[in-house]
Amino acid sequence: MTDNITSVGGGGGPDAGVSALKGRTGAGAPAETRGKTTIADGVVAKIAGMAAREVPGIYSLGAGMARAFGAMRERVPGGGAGAVTRGVKVEVGERQAAVDLDVVVDYGVSIVEVAGGVRTNVIGAVERMTGLEVVEVNVAVDDVHLPDDEEEAGPDEGRVR
């Protein structure tokens, strides 16, 4: 029997970018530890992105160009799938993960408090859902969303009705 371990496929092999949680094996081992669970980097990125967006004061994720390209992609049918991970970069190791986030905050909020809330929420969600230890969450504030920057939600109306 072996103890619980986490490993990542290295190099360019088929398991590159995938975290594997491996349990004890054998007849005496609990059922939940018999077998191997793999967690892709993209899964950790989605969890981190969703957790960051839940924090009050976060307007959106992604640097300026990423948001611009993302807005165009969302207008194309089937093109908005990457919106959850826009502005999120993760590195997953054997037992640990690191997360980098590019965020846009709402005007008037305390950036220090919002960044702390993002760190707390992301660490809690990733550790709870994956079992990986989050060693750092780096938050880069790329912009402040002003109230008068609101984009029109509806379709463009013509001048003639």
Side-chain angles (χ1 to χ4, degrees):
M1 287 203 248
T2 61
D3 291 331
N4 286 339
I5 61 168
T6 306
S7 63
V8 175
D15 291 335
V18 175
S19 173
L21 305 176
K22 201 171 188 182
R24 295 185 300 159
T25 59
E32 63 271 8
T33 63
R34 294 183 191 182
K36 182 172 107 175
T37 303
T38 58
I39 302 170
D41 288 1
V43 172
V44 176
K46 282 184 179 182
I47 293 167
M50 291 298 295
R53 283 176 172 80
E54 292 173 352
V55 176
I58 292 292
Y59 177 74
S60 68
L61 270 65
M65 288 303 289
R67 286 195 327 268
F69 285 124
M72 287 190 305
R73 255 195 317 262
E74 288 172 6
R75 294 176 197 259
V76 176
V84 174
T85 59
R86 181 177 50 222
V88 181
K89 181 183 173 220
V90 299
E91 294 179 32
V92 180
E94 290 185 12
R95 297 176 189 255
Q96 301 174 328
V99 180
D100 296 324
L101 299 165
D102 291 318
V103 301
V104 177
V105 298
D106 289 320
Y107 176 79
V109 300
S110 167
I111 293 174
V112 173
E113 289 179 15
V114 170
V118 166
R119 284 188 184 92
T120 300
N121 216 32
V122 168
I123 290 169
V126 171
E127 288 184 349
R128 183 182 78 253
M129 294 179 72
T130 66
L132 296 168
E133 176 192 5
V134 178
V135 293
E136 66 181 14
V137 176
N138 298 313
V139 179
V141 179
D142 292 319
D143 201 358
V144 174
H145 176 258
L146 302 174
D148 59 346
D149 286 348
E150 291 296 322
E151 297 176 19
E152 293 180 13
D156 292 337
E157 295 183 20
R159 293 189 292 176
V160 179
R161 291 186 191 191

